[in-house]
Amino acid sequence: SWGYSNLTFVAAGELIPAITDTSWADFVAAHFTRPLGMTRTTTTTAGLDAQPNVARPHTLVGGSVRAVPYRPLDSAAPAAAFNSSVHD
């Protein structure tokens, strides 16, 4: 059988600061997003509410679709907090 777990991505992300003495987010920015010119890519959900033209999470509430807050995923960032645009 096969199983999927985000825990391995979180564990892999913990190797970055342990080996480089740099946070995972700073490492990704320095080695990937900045060199590639990815100006609309983030490694946190913080601040997305204030950004224009971004996808927003929605759910069904009382029979109608409503926007809901982003989940704070920073503690599992290597597995779940990479946000990017179509352009990037």
Side-chain angles (χ1 to χ4, degrees):
S1 72
W2 181 86
Y4 175 85
S5 173
N6 279 343
L7 185 58
T8 54
F9 290 97
V10 174
E14 289 299 315
L15 291 174
I16 299 294
I19 294 170
T20 67
D21 200 31
T22 303
S23 72
W24 175 81
D26 289 345
F27 185 88
V28 168
H31 295 277
F32 297 100
T33 58
R34 278 198 305 264
L36 292 171
M38 299 173 77
T39 60
R40 297 253 317 165
T41 299
T42 67
T43 53
T44 180
T45 56
L48 286 179
D49 285 325
Q51 296 295 319
N53 195 22
V54 295
R56 308 229 183 262
H58 288 71
T59 193
L60 191 61
V61 177
S64 64
V65 177
R66 305 247 172 117
V68 295
Y70 292 97
R71 290 184 179 177
L73 301 170
D74 294 351
S75 62
F82 205 81
N83 306 287
S84 195
S85 68
V86 173
H87 181 265
D88 278 3

